[in-house]
Amino acid sequence: MSTTEAPAPAGDRQVPTTVDVVVVGAGFSGMYLLHKLRGMGLSAVVFEAGTDVGGTWYWNRYPGARVDVESLAYSYSFDPDMEQRFEWQERYPTQPEILAYARHVADRFDLRKDIVFRTRITAAHYDEAERTWTVRTEHEDAVTTRFLVMATGCLSSSKLPEIPGLDSFKGETFHTAHWPHEGVDFTGKRVGLIGTGSSGVQSIPVIAEQADDLTVFQRTPAYSLPARNRKLTVDEIAGMKAGYRDYRQAQKESGFGVPTAIPTKSVLEVSDSERNAAFEQAWESGSLVNLLTTYTDLTVNQEANDKAKDWVHSKIKSIVTDPRTAQDLCPEYPIGTKRPCLDSGYYETYNRDDVHLVNLQREPLIEVTERGIRTAAREYEFDAIVYATGFDAMTGSLTNVDIRGRDGTSLKETWSAGPRTYLGIGSAGFPNLFMITGPGSPSVLSNMVVSIEQHVDWVCDAVAHLRSQGLTTIEATQEAQDAWVDHVNQVAGFTLYPKANSWYMGANVPGKPRVFMPYAGGVGEYRKKCDEVAKNGYDGFALTA
Ligand code: N01
């Protein structure tokens, strides 16, 4: 497969043997951590598998890749001067623009000198007598550290479809999360693409423009809204820059890390015309959050959700001209319970003569062959196959590393029935191991940059507290963790989320326990809880000298 996998390490890697903090991952979390830890006078090293900073935005270079949070909101808030200097170009920035921002941050704070690139972590074992972690890499490095922070991202461990023959295809293959740095030219090619989540929905219109012919294999349709992307005006940028401080505060207090109007009415109490007008306004606004927050009950009441679902179905059918294709593109699960998408011309793309939709519910995937893809109905021949098949989300990048805590306890085994954390930050049995936006925190249900900054600040404050009190370790207690896991499940149970086979539930990975992993209680409420825990002497964590 053509990928962005980093080449063999250069000979001049500088790897320390002992540091105060090891950070894994040089995405938005790892970069901000390194900056803060240095400011605290701590020694730190960051290990990163790629050849540069950027994390998600380093790896996911597929055509059409953009974030679906507006650029001025999808940025760090910790440096007001940087906020004023960086110039965003578009409402929803492209992957190259976000990567340029990450590089700008790395340059500004001279971060790269403490980042070891081209290096994956393979193991991290806790030594109870020494109260240290030993972190090992794929290149046989071993680093001893007091604190270990997994800043590995929620969507880093990519997955392929679980069908035979993946290696037998003679043409080119690509995964959206490992896209070649030099790009791919599909001109004149017959392309098959599997997967219609955000990566598929964003790349399909762009690949369709280029390829001779595109066939999309869809197991589950996505709900997607038009992004209404455009260049930012000078006045918009100036207005945002002038109001940044208030906006940042509003982000922190919001439900999704993006300030929105608070709904006051049930969708069931309004007239058809009022409801249709509200949905139309949300659709035209180009904002996912606007649609889901139009009424109080869309995410918690099936009957209410059906109103939004039916309305979006009618929209899809008004765009897609072939009735059977339009019907196949209409999802049946409640809207919002799988990650909705934001697109540029997605549904319109199916009106092209050279784009075809294969409904895998009718004709399941059987295998990849030398010439293409075989479903239960027939074989399709291609020059290239694109896998937009997603990730082992939230836990994959943690359990792929051989993490062993007290008494040699394996994180992977401990989480075999689903992830168990306190606040999504720590896990009982694993002292001084922190996760940034781990399972049990709002993470993927929020604007990630807001949640990343909150966790990094919290973790650094906790480390500073230990040092100031002459303490050595911090570890989630079993009781606090059990209560938090119950709470996370209880909150999810109030919502419609568990009704869909989503990656939030682990349902996209065969054999993965079906547990709703993120915390659905909202960014603002969650932050209050974390602040309260810290204020009360890290209530629910055991601190030892
Ligand atoms: O991955 P996905 P993604 N046979 O898991 C299908 C973020 N993101 O890379 O739904 C056949 O959503 C799978 O089918 P199903 C965002 O949080 C953000 O697109 O499991 N099909 C699905 O259709 C997003 O949610 C942005 O039935 C198989 C697709 O592959 C997350 O990343 C952009 C299959 C995978 O969709 C992941 O998005 C991109 C199989 N064996 C990503 N296995 C923005 O900010 C999987 N599929 C805009």
Side-chain angles (χ1 to χ4, degrees), residues 57 62 66-68 155 159 161-162 176 194-200 202 219-220 338-339 360 365 388-391 503 508:
W57 302 105
Y62 60 83
R66 308 176 177 273
V67 70
D68 52 11
L155 296 156
K159 71 176 277 292
E162 304 74 16
T176 47
I194 304 177
T196 50
S198 299
S199 304
Q202 286 188 329
R219 185 165 69 181
T220 313
K338 277 170 90 102
R339 177 69 147 69
L360 298 176
L365 276 185
T389 40
F391 303 88
W503 57 256
N508 65 328

PDB file of all heavy atoms in Angstrom, residues 57 62 66-68 155 159 161-162 176 194-200 202 219-220 338-339 360 365 388-391 503 508, ligand 1:
ATOM      1  N   TRP A  57      -3.234  15.650  11.380  1.00  0.00           N
ATOM      2  CA  TRP A  57      -3.109  16.491  10.176  1.00  0.00           C
ATOM      3  C   TRP A  57      -1.819  16.203   9.436  1.00  0.00           C
ATOM      4  O   TRP A  57      -1.624  16.665   8.318  1.00  0.00           O
ATOM      5  CB  TRP A  57      -3.263  17.966  10.554  1.00  0.00           C
ATOM      6  CG  TRP A  57      -4.582  18.144  11.219  1.00  0.00           C
ATOM      7  CD1 TRP A  57      -4.831  18.323  12.544  1.00  0.00           C
ATOM      8  CD2 TRP A  57      -5.876  18.049  10.590  1.00  0.00           C
ATOM      9  NE1 TRP A  57      -6.185  18.356  12.788  1.00  0.00           N
ATOM     10  CE2 TRP A  57      -6.846  18.188  11.602  1.00  0.00           C
ATOM     11  CE3 TRP A  57      -6.300  17.844   9.275  1.00  0.00           C
ATOM     12  CZ2 TRP A  57      -8.211  18.147  11.332  1.00  0.00           C
ATOM     13  CZ3 TRP A  57      -7.662  17.806   9.010  1.00  0.00           C
ATOM     14  CH2 TRP A  57      -8.593  17.957  10.037  1.00  0.00           C
ATOM     15  N   TYR A  62      -5.589  12.904   2.630  1.00  0.00           N
ATOM     16  CA  TYR A  62      -6.410  12.500   1.479  1.00  0.00           C
ATOM     17  C   TYR A  62      -7.018  13.735   0.806  1.00  0.00           C
ATOM     18  O   TYR A  62      -7.164  14.786   1.440  1.00  0.00           O
ATOM     19  CB  TYR A  62      -7.491  11.512   1.934  1.00  0.00           C
ATOM     20  CG  TYR A  62      -8.432  12.066   2.987  1.00  0.00           C
ATOM     21  CD1 TYR A  62      -9.524  12.844   2.632  1.00  0.00           C
ATOM     22  CD2 TYR A  62      -8.219  11.827   4.342  1.00  0.00           C
ATOM     23  CE1 TYR A  62     -10.379  13.365   3.599  1.00  0.00           C
ATOM     24  CE2 TYR A  62      -9.058  12.330   5.308  1.00  0.00           C
ATOM     25  CZ  TYR A  62     -10.137  13.102   4.923  1.00  0.00           C
ATOM     26  OH  TYR A  62     -10.972  13.627   5.870  1.00  0.00           O
ATOM     27  N   ARG A  66     -10.408  18.323   5.353  1.00  0.00           N
ATOM     28  CA  ARG A  66     -10.547  19.582   6.095  1.00  0.00           C
ATOM     29  C   ARG A  66     -11.129  19.264   7.466  1.00  0.00           C
ATOM     30  O   ARG A  66     -11.782  18.241   7.636  1.00  0.00           O
ATOM     31  CB  ARG A  66     -11.598  20.518   5.524  1.00  0.00           C
ATOM     32  CG  ARG A  66     -11.581  20.860   4.140  1.00  0.00           C
ATOM     33  CD  ARG A  66     -12.759  21.721   3.738  1.00  0.00           C
ATOM     34  NE  ARG A  66     -12.585  22.043   2.344  1.00  0.00           N
ATOM     35  CZ  ARG A  66     -11.881  23.081   1.914  1.00  0.00           C
ATOM     36  NH1 ARG A  66     -11.376  23.939   2.764  1.00  0.00           N
ATOM     37  NH2 ARG A  66     -11.709  23.288   0.640  1.00  0.00           N
ATOM     38  N   VAL A  67     -11.019  20.217   8.341  1.00  0.00           N
ATOM     39  CA  VAL A  67     -11.669  20.058   9.639  1.00  0.00           C
ATOM     40  C   VAL A  67     -13.099  20.584   9.508  1.00  0.00           C
ATOM     41  O   VAL A  67     -13.385  21.390   8.625  1.00  0.00           O
ATOM     42  CB  VAL A  67     -10.887  20.794  10.747  1.00  0.00           C
ATOM     43  CG1 VAL A  67     -10.984  22.290  10.609  1.00  0.00           C
ATOM     44  CG2 VAL A  67     -11.354  20.343  12.115  1.00  0.00           C
ATOM     45  N   ASP A  68     -13.990  20.106  10.385  1.00  0.00           N
ATOM     46  CA  ASP A  68     -15.361  20.595  10.309  1.00  0.00           C
ATOM     47  C   ASP A  68     -15.706  21.516  11.487  1.00  0.00           C
ATOM     48  O   ASP A  68     -16.864  21.674  11.855  1.00  0.00           O
ATOM     49  CB  ASP A  68     -16.359  19.440  10.157  1.00  0.00           C
ATOM     50  CG  ASP A  68     -16.174  18.374  11.217  1.00  0.00           C
ATOM     51  OD1 ASP A  68     -15.433  18.621  12.178  1.00  0.00           O
ATOM     52  OD2 ASP A  68     -16.779  17.291  11.078  1.00  0.00           O
ATOM     53  N   LEU A 155      -7.997   9.130  16.999  1.00  0.00           N
ATOM     54  CA  LEU A 155      -8.216   8.503  15.692  1.00  0.00           C
ATOM     55  C   LEU A 155      -6.867   8.348  15.005  1.00  0.00           C
ATOM     56  O   LEU A 155      -6.568   9.009  14.012  1.00  0.00           O
ATOM     57  CB  LEU A 155      -9.178   9.375  14.865  1.00  0.00           C
ATOM     58  CG  LEU A 155     -10.582   9.492  15.475  1.00  0.00           C
ATOM     59  CD1 LEU A 155     -11.296  10.749  15.017  1.00  0.00           C
ATOM     60  CD2 LEU A 155     -11.419   8.265  15.155  1.00  0.00           C
ATOM     61  N   LYS A 159      -7.661   1.330  10.391  1.00  0.00           N
ATOM     62  CA  LYS A 159      -8.078  -0.062  10.163  1.00  0.00           C
ATOM     63  C   LYS A 159      -8.447  -0.304   8.705  1.00  0.00           C
ATOM     64  O   LYS A 159      -8.893   0.610   8.001  1.00  0.00           O
ATOM     65  CB  LYS A 159      -9.220  -0.460  11.100  1.00  0.00           C
ATOM     66  CG  LYS A 159     -10.538   0.193  10.782  1.00  0.00           C
ATOM     67  CD  LYS A 159     -11.637  -0.321  11.673  1.00  0.00           C
ATOM     68  CE  LYS A 159     -12.247  -1.620  11.211  1.00  0.00           C
ATOM     69  NZ  LYS A 159     -13.016  -1.520   9.952  1.00  0.00           N
ATOM     70  N   PRO A 161     -10.595  -3.090   5.973  1.00  0.00           N
ATOM     71  CA  PRO A 161     -11.747  -3.994   6.073  1.00  0.00           C
ATOM     72  C   PRO A 161     -11.302  -5.425   6.379  1.00  0.00           C
ATOM     73  O   PRO A 161     -10.225  -5.842   5.937  1.00  0.00           O
ATOM     74  CB  PRO A 161     -12.400  -3.918   4.690  1.00  0.00           C
ATOM     75  CG  PRO A 161     -11.474  -3.193   3.815  1.00  0.00           C
ATOM     76  CD  PRO A 161     -10.418  -2.535   4.642  1.00  0.00           C
ATOM     77  N   GLU A 162     -12.122  -6.139   7.117  1.00  0.00           N
ATOM     78  CA  GLU A 162     -11.756  -7.489   7.551  1.00  0.00           C
ATOM     79  C   GLU A 162     -12.230  -8.474   6.493  1.00  0.00           C
ATOM     80  O   GLU A 162     -13.171  -9.251   6.706  1.00  0.00           O
ATOM     81  CB  GLU A 162     -12.403  -7.786   8.918  1.00  0.00           C
ATOM     82  CG  GLU A 162     -12.063  -6.781  10.000  1.00  0.00           C
ATOM     83  CD  GLU A 162     -12.760  -5.425   9.868  1.00  0.00           C
ATOM     84  OE1 GLU A 162     -13.739  -5.315   9.115  1.00  0.00           O
ATOM     85  OE2 GLU A 162     -12.303  -4.480  10.518  1.00  0.00           O
ATOM     86  N   THR A 176      -6.947   6.391   3.549  1.00  0.00           N
ATOM     87  CA  THR A 176      -7.054   7.855   3.713  1.00  0.00           C
ATOM     88  C   THR A 176      -6.165   8.376   4.848  1.00  0.00           C
ATOM     89  O   THR A 176      -5.724   9.522   4.802  1.00  0.00           O
ATOM     90  CB  THR A 176      -8.518   8.255   3.989  1.00  0.00           C
ATOM     91  OG1 THR A 176      -9.053   7.388   4.990  1.00  0.00           O
ATOM     92  CG2 THR A 176      -9.363   8.179   2.732  1.00  0.00           C
ATOM     93  N   ILE A 194     -13.853   2.255  -0.537  1.00  0.00           N
ATOM     94  CA  ILE A 194     -14.673   1.608   0.496  1.00  0.00           C
ATOM     95  C   ILE A 194     -14.758   2.540   1.698  1.00  0.00           C
ATOM     96  O   ILE A 194     -13.725   2.963   2.234  1.00  0.00           O
ATOM     97  CB  ILE A 194     -14.074   0.260   0.943  1.00  0.00           C
ATOM     98  CG1 ILE A 194     -13.894  -0.672  -0.262  1.00  0.00           C
ATOM     99  CG2 ILE A 194     -14.956  -0.396   2.002  1.00  0.00           C
ATOM    100  CD1 ILE A 194     -13.229  -2.009   0.076  1.00  0.00           C
ATOM    101  N   GLY A 195     -15.984   2.842   2.139  1.00  0.00           N
ATOM    102  CA  GLY A 195     -16.153   3.626   3.362  1.00  0.00           C
ATOM    103  C   GLY A 195     -16.777   4.979   3.091  1.00  0.00           C
ATOM    104  O   GLY A 195     -16.311   5.728   2.242  1.00  0.00           O
ATOM    105  N   THR A 196     -17.818   5.281   3.853  1.00  0.00           N
ATOM    106  CA  THR A 196     -18.517   6.553   3.676  1.00  0.00           C
ATOM    107  C   THR A 196     -18.678   7.284   5.019  1.00  0.00           C
ATOM    108  O   THR A 196     -19.742   7.797   5.338  1.00  0.00           O
ATOM    109  CB  THR A 196     -19.895   6.330   3.009  1.00  0.00           C
ATOM    110  OG1 THR A 196     -20.578   5.297   3.738  1.00  0.00           O
ATOM    111  CG2 THR A 196     -19.757   5.932   1.553  1.00  0.00           C
ATOM    112  N   GLY A 197     -17.597   7.302   5.827  1.00  0.00           N
ATOM    113  CA  GLY A 197     -17.549   8.178   6.999  1.00  0.00           C
ATOM    114  C   GLY A 197     -17.008   9.533   6.540  1.00  0.00           C
ATOM    115  O   GLY A 197     -16.988   9.835   5.334  1.00  0.00           O
ATOM    116  N   SER A 198     -16.521  10.344   7.479  1.00  0.00           N
ATOM    117  CA  SER A 198     -16.068  11.702   7.123  1.00  0.00           C
ATOM    118  C   SER A 198     -14.983  11.679   6.051  1.00  0.00           C
ATOM    119  O   SER A 198     -14.998  12.512   5.133  1.00  0.00           O
ATOM    120  CB  SER A 198     -15.517  12.412   8.357  1.00  0.00           C
ATOM    121  OG  SER A 198     -16.501  12.531   9.330  1.00  0.00           O
ATOM    122  N   SER A 199     -14.030  10.736   6.147  1.00  0.00           N
ATOM    123  CA  SER A 199     -12.923  10.716   5.185  1.00  0.00           C
ATOM    124  C   SER A 199     -13.439  10.379   3.788  1.00  0.00           C
ATOM    125  O   SER A 199     -13.032  11.004   2.799  1.00  0.00           O
ATOM    126  CB  SER A 199     -11.864   9.694   5.604  1.00  0.00           C
ATOM    127  OG  SER A 199     -11.401   9.962   6.901  1.00  0.00           O
ATOM    128  N   GLY A 200     -14.343   9.399   3.694  1.00  0.00           N
ATOM    129  CA  GLY A 200     -14.923   9.045   2.401  1.00  0.00           C
ATOM    130  C   GLY A 200     -15.751  10.198   1.848  1.00  0.00           C
ATOM    131  O   GLY A 200     -15.602  10.583   0.684  1.00  0.00           O
ATOM    132  N   GLN A 202     -15.605  13.325   2.378  1.00  0.00           N
ATOM    133  CA  GLN A 202     -14.805  14.475   1.926  1.00  0.00           C
ATOM    134  C   GLN A 202     -14.011  14.155   0.661  1.00  0.00           C
ATOM    135  O   GLN A 202     -13.828  15.025  -0.187  1.00  0.00           O
ATOM    136  CB  GLN A 202     -13.830  14.897   3.023  1.00  0.00           C
ATOM    137  CG  GLN A 202     -14.510  15.623   4.168  1.00  0.00           C
ATOM    138  CD  GLN A 202     -13.501  16.207   5.134  1.00  0.00           C
ATOM    139  OE1 GLN A 202     -12.414  15.679   5.327  1.00  0.00           O
ATOM    140  NE2 GLN A 202     -13.869  17.302   5.760  1.00  0.00           N
ATOM    141  N   ARG A 219     -21.250   0.590   3.372  1.00  0.00           N
ATOM    142  CA  ARG A 219     -21.904  -0.353   4.300  1.00  0.00           C
ATOM    143  C   ARG A 219     -23.017   0.375   5.062  1.00  0.00           C
ATOM    144  O   ARG A 219     -24.098  -0.153   5.254  1.00  0.00           O
ATOM    145  CB  ARG A 219     -20.875  -0.931   5.272  1.00  0.00           C
ATOM    146  CG  ARG A 219     -21.445  -2.001   6.176  1.00  0.00           C
ATOM    147  CD  ARG A 219     -20.365  -2.802   6.849  1.00  0.00           C
ATOM    148  NE  ARG A 219     -19.610  -2.038   7.836  1.00  0.00           N
ATOM    149  CZ  ARG A 219     -18.594  -2.530   8.533  1.00  0.00           C
ATOM    150  NH1 ARG A 219     -18.207  -3.790   8.326  1.00  0.00           N
ATOM    151  NH2 ARG A 219     -17.944  -1.802   9.425  1.00  0.00           N
ATOM    152  N   THR A 220     -22.698   1.595   5.550  1.00  0.00           N
ATOM    153  CA  THR A 220     -23.695   2.385   6.279  1.00  0.00           C
ATOM    154  C   THR A 220     -23.650   3.804   5.740  1.00  0.00           C
ATOM    155  O   THR A 220     -22.570   4.406   5.688  1.00  0.00           O
ATOM    156  CB  THR A 220     -23.355   2.437   7.788  1.00  0.00           C
ATOM    157  OG1 THR A 220     -23.047   1.116   8.247  1.00  0.00           O
ATOM    158  CG2 THR A 220     -24.501   2.995   8.603  1.00  0.00           C
ATOM    159  N   LYS A 338     -24.058   8.503  14.921  1.00  0.00           N
ATOM    160  CA  LYS A 338     -22.727   8.260  14.340  1.00  0.00           C
ATOM    161  C   LYS A 338     -22.237   9.645  13.984  1.00  0.00           C
ATOM    162  O   LYS A 338     -23.035  10.539  13.751  1.00  0.00           O
ATOM    163  CB  LYS A 338     -22.832   7.428  13.049  1.00  0.00           C
ATOM    164  CG  LYS A 338     -22.927   5.940  13.275  1.00  0.00           C
ATOM    165  CD  LYS A 338     -23.269   5.244  11.990  1.00  0.00           C
ATOM    166  CE  LYS A 338     -22.040   4.861  11.216  1.00  0.00           C
ATOM    167  NZ  LYS A 338     -21.684   3.459  11.322  1.00  0.00           N
ATOM    168  N   ARG A 339     -20.925   9.805  13.902  1.00  0.00           N
ATOM    169  CA  ARG A 339     -20.390  11.146  13.655  1.00  0.00           C
ATOM    170  C   ARG A 339     -20.929  11.682  12.332  1.00  0.00           C
ATOM    171  O   ARG A 339     -20.660  11.115  11.270  1.00  0.00           O
ATOM    172  CB  ARG A 339     -18.874  11.046  13.629  1.00  0.00           C
ATOM    173  CG  ARG A 339     -18.154  12.326  13.317  1.00  0.00           C
ATOM    174  CD  ARG A 339     -18.288  13.337  14.444  1.00  0.00           C
ATOM    175  NE  ARG A 339     -17.126  14.173  14.571  1.00  0.00           N
ATOM    176  CZ  ARG A 339     -16.761  15.094  13.694  1.00  0.00           C
ATOM    177  NH1 ARG A 339     -17.470  15.294  12.613  1.00  0.00           N
ATOM    178  NH2 ARG A 339     -15.687  15.810  13.915  1.00  0.00           N
ATOM    179  N   LEU A 360     -23.633  -2.130   0.199  1.00  0.00           N
ATOM    180  CA  LEU A 360     -23.118  -3.404   0.739  1.00  0.00           C
ATOM    181  C   LEU A 360     -24.149  -4.116   1.618  1.00  0.00           C
ATOM    182  O   LEU A 360     -23.949  -5.278   1.974  1.00  0.00           O
ATOM    183  CB  LEU A 360     -21.817  -3.168   1.502  1.00  0.00           C
ATOM    184  CG  LEU A 360     -20.651  -2.619   0.663  1.00  0.00           C
ATOM    185  CD1 LEU A 360     -19.434  -2.340   1.558  1.00  0.00           C
ATOM    186  CD2 LEU A 360     -20.250  -3.585  -0.447  1.00  0.00           C
ATOM    187  N   LEU A 365     -19.533  -7.209   0.863  1.00  0.00           N
ATOM    188  CA  LEU A 365     -18.159  -7.405   0.404  1.00  0.00           C
ATOM    189  C   LEU A 365     -17.767  -8.852   0.644  1.00  0.00           C
ATOM    190  O   LEU A 365     -18.034  -9.401   1.720  1.00  0.00           O
ATOM    191  CB  LEU A 365     -17.192  -6.560   1.239  1.00  0.00           C
ATOM    192  CG  LEU A 365     -16.938  -5.096   0.902  1.00  0.00           C
ATOM    193  CD1 LEU A 365     -15.853  -4.565   1.824  1.00  0.00           C
ATOM    194  CD2 LEU A 365     -16.515  -4.951  -0.555  1.00  0.00           C
ATOM    195  N   ALA A 388     -11.279   4.021   2.900  1.00  0.00           N
ATOM    196  CA  ALA A 388     -11.645   5.125   3.808  1.00  0.00           C
ATOM    197  C   ALA A 388     -12.349   4.474   4.985  1.00  0.00           C
ATOM    198  O   ALA A 388     -13.463   4.842   5.355  1.00  0.00           O
ATOM    199  CB  ALA A 388     -12.544   6.119   3.079  1.00  0.00           C
ATOM    200  N   THR A 389     -11.687   3.457   5.543  1.00  0.00           N
ATOM    201  CA  THR A 389     -12.354   2.534   6.465  1.00  0.00           C
ATOM    202  C   THR A 389     -12.093   2.839   7.946  1.00  0.00           C
ATOM    203  O   THR A 389     -12.408   2.018   8.805  1.00  0.00           O
ATOM    204  CB  THR A 389     -11.951   1.076   6.137  1.00  0.00           C
ATOM    205  OG1 THR A 389     -10.554   1.034   5.811  1.00  0.00           O
ATOM    206  CG2 THR A 389     -12.720   0.553   4.958  1.00  0.00           C
ATOM    207  N   GLY A 390     -11.548   4.012   8.237  1.00  0.00           N
ATOM    208  CA  GLY A 390     -11.563   4.491   9.611  1.00  0.00           C
ATOM    209  C   GLY A 390     -10.505   3.935  10.541  1.00  0.00           C
ATOM    210  O   GLY A 390      -9.421   3.514  10.110  1.00  0.00           O
ATOM    211  N   PHE A 391     -10.866   3.878  11.830  1.00  0.00           N
ATOM    212  CA  PHE A 391      -9.883   3.691  12.894  1.00  0.00           C
ATOM    213  C   PHE A 391     -10.404   2.758  13.994  1.00  0.00           C
ATOM    214  O   PHE A 391     -11.603   2.672  14.212  1.00  0.00           O
ATOM    215  CB  PHE A 391      -9.569   5.045  13.550  1.00  0.00           C
ATOM    216  CG  PHE A 391      -9.069   6.072  12.578  1.00  0.00           C
ATOM    217  CD1 PHE A 391      -9.959   6.890  11.884  1.00  0.00           C
ATOM    218  CD2 PHE A 391      -7.709   6.201  12.324  1.00  0.00           C
ATOM    219  CE1 PHE A 391      -9.499   7.824  10.967  1.00  0.00           C
ATOM    220  CE2 PHE A 391      -7.240   7.137  11.412  1.00  0.00           C
ATOM    221  CZ  PHE A 391      -8.138   7.946  10.731  1.00  0.00           C
ATOM    222  N   TRP A 503     -18.329   3.999  15.682  1.00  0.00           N
ATOM    223  CA  TRP A 503     -17.014   3.814  16.292  1.00  0.00           C
ATOM    224  C   TRP A 503     -16.977   4.385  17.701  1.00  0.00           C
ATOM    225  O   TRP A 503     -16.120   4.008  18.494  1.00  0.00           O
ATOM    226  CB  TRP A 503     -15.879   4.344  15.419  1.00  0.00           C
ATOM    227  CG  TRP A 503     -15.904   5.782  15.007  1.00  0.00           C
ATOM    228  CD1 TRP A 503     -16.232   6.282  13.787  1.00  0.00           C
ATOM    229  CD2 TRP A 503     -15.509   6.916  15.793  1.00  0.00           C
ATOM    230  NE1 TRP A 503     -16.096   7.652  13.766  1.00  0.00           N
ATOM    231  CE2 TRP A 503     -15.650   8.065  14.979  1.00  0.00           C
ATOM    232  CE3 TRP A 503     -15.059   7.086  17.109  1.00  0.00           C
ATOM    233  CZ2 TRP A 503     -15.363   9.362  15.439  1.00  0.00           C
ATOM    234  CZ3 TRP A 503     -14.775   8.364  17.568  1.00  0.00           C
ATOM    235  CH2 TRP A 503     -14.932   9.474  16.736  1.00  0.00           C
ATOM    236  N   ASN A 508     -17.288  -0.661  15.010  1.00  0.00           N
ATOM    237  CA  ASN A 508     -16.664  -0.817  13.686  1.00  0.00           C
ATOM    238  C   ASN A 508     -15.497  -1.796  13.701  1.00  0.00           C
ATOM    239  O   ASN A 508     -14.935  -2.101  12.657  1.00  0.00           O
ATOM    240  CB  ASN A 508     -16.176   0.549  13.171  1.00  0.00           C
ATOM    241  CG  ASN A 508     -15.063   1.131  14.036  1.00  0.00           C
ATOM    242  OD1 ASN A 508     -15.036   0.904  15.236  1.00  0.00           O
ATOM    243  ND2 ASN A 508     -14.157   1.864  13.443  1.00  0.00           N
TER     244      ASN A 508
HETATM  245  O1  N01 B   1     -13.790   6.682   9.481  1.00  0.00           O
HETATM  246  P1  N01 B   1     -15.265   6.185   9.844  1.00  0.00           P
HETATM  247  P2  N01 B   1     -13.339   8.078   8.851  1.00  0.00           P
HETATM  248  N1  N01 B   1     -16.594  -3.170   5.114  1.00  0.00           N
HETATM  249  O2  N01 B   1     -15.112   5.087  10.830  1.00  0.00           O
HETATM  250  C1  N01 B   1     -16.682   1.703   6.518  1.00  0.00           C
HETATM  251  C2  N01 B   1     -12.859  12.213  12.105  1.00  0.00           C
HETATM  252  N2  N01 B   1     -12.695  12.907  10.854  1.00  0.00           N
HETATM  253  O3  N01 B   1     -11.913   8.017   8.606  1.00  0.00           O
HETATM  254  O4  N01 B   1     -20.183   2.777   9.210  1.00  0.00           O
HETATM  255  C3  N01 B   1     -17.257  -2.134   4.607  1.00  0.00           C
HETATM  256  O5  N01 B   1     -16.170   7.286  10.204  1.00  0.00           O
HETATM  257  C4  N01 B   1     -17.543   2.156   7.640  1.00  0.00           C
HETATM  258  O6  N01 B   1     -18.793   1.510   7.578  1.00  0.00           O
HETATM  259  P3  N01 B   1     -19.685   1.387   8.957  1.00  0.00           P
HETATM  260  C5  N01 B   1     -14.327  12.163  12.449  1.00  0.00           C
HETATM  261  O7  N01 B   1     -14.471  12.175  13.837  1.00  0.00           O
HETATM  262  C6  N01 B   1     -13.048  14.202  10.830  1.00  0.00           C
HETATM  263  O8  N01 B   1     -14.230   8.459   7.728  1.00  0.00           O
HETATM  264  O9  N01 B   1     -18.754   0.923  10.039  1.00  0.00           O
HETATM  265  N3  N01 B   1     -17.188  -0.899   5.075  1.00  0.00           N
HETATM  266  C7  N01 B   1     -17.580   3.654   7.375  1.00  0.00           C
HETATM  267  O10 N01 B   1     -18.498   3.972   6.366  1.00  0.00           O
HETATM  268  C8  N01 B   1     -14.719  10.849  11.854  1.00  0.00           C
HETATM  269  O11 N01 B   1     -15.895  10.301  12.376  1.00  0.00           O
HETATM  270  C9  N01 B   1     -12.983  14.884   9.666  1.00  0.00           C
HETATM  271  O12 N01 B   1     -20.727   0.422   8.617  1.00  0.00           O
HETATM  272  C10 N01 B   1     -16.365  -0.689   6.114  1.00  0.00           C
HETATM  273  C11 N01 B   1     -16.177   3.911   6.878  1.00  0.00           C
HETATM  274  O13 N01 B   1     -15.658   2.685   6.409  1.00  0.00           O
HETATM  275  C12 N01 B   1     -13.500  10.026  12.181  1.00  0.00           C
HETATM  276  O14 N01 B   1     -12.418  10.888  11.946  1.00  0.00           O
HETATM  277  C13 N01 B   1     -12.551  14.273   8.522  1.00  0.00           C
HETATM  278  C14 N01 B   1     -15.622  -1.730   6.688  1.00  0.00           C
HETATM  279  C15 N01 B   1     -15.271   4.411   7.985  1.00  0.00           C
HETATM  280  O15 N01 B   1     -15.770   5.610   8.466  1.00  0.00           O
HETATM  281  C16 N01 B   1     -13.326   8.798  11.349  1.00  0.00           C
HETATM  282  O16 N01 B   1     -13.630   9.109   9.996  1.00  0.00           O
HETATM  283  C17 N01 B   1     -12.184  12.942   8.569  1.00  0.00           C
HETATM  284  C18 N01 B   1     -15.767  -3.012   6.152  1.00  0.00           C
HETATM  285  N4  N01 B   1     -15.109  -4.065   6.673  1.00  0.00           N
HETATM  286  C19 N01 B   1     -12.259  12.269   9.751  1.00  0.00           C
HETATM  287  N5  N01 B   1     -14.900  -1.223   7.720  1.00  0.00           N
HETATM  288  C20 N01 B   1     -13.427  16.289   9.673  1.00  0.00           C
HETATM  289  O17 N01 B   1     -13.127  17.060  10.529  1.00  0.00           O
HETATM  290  C21 N01 B   1     -15.200   0.095   7.753  1.00  0.00           C
HETATM  291  N6  N01 B   1     -16.078   0.415   6.789  1.00  0.00           N
HETATM  292  C22 N01 B   1     -14.297  16.705   8.611  1.00  0.00           C
END
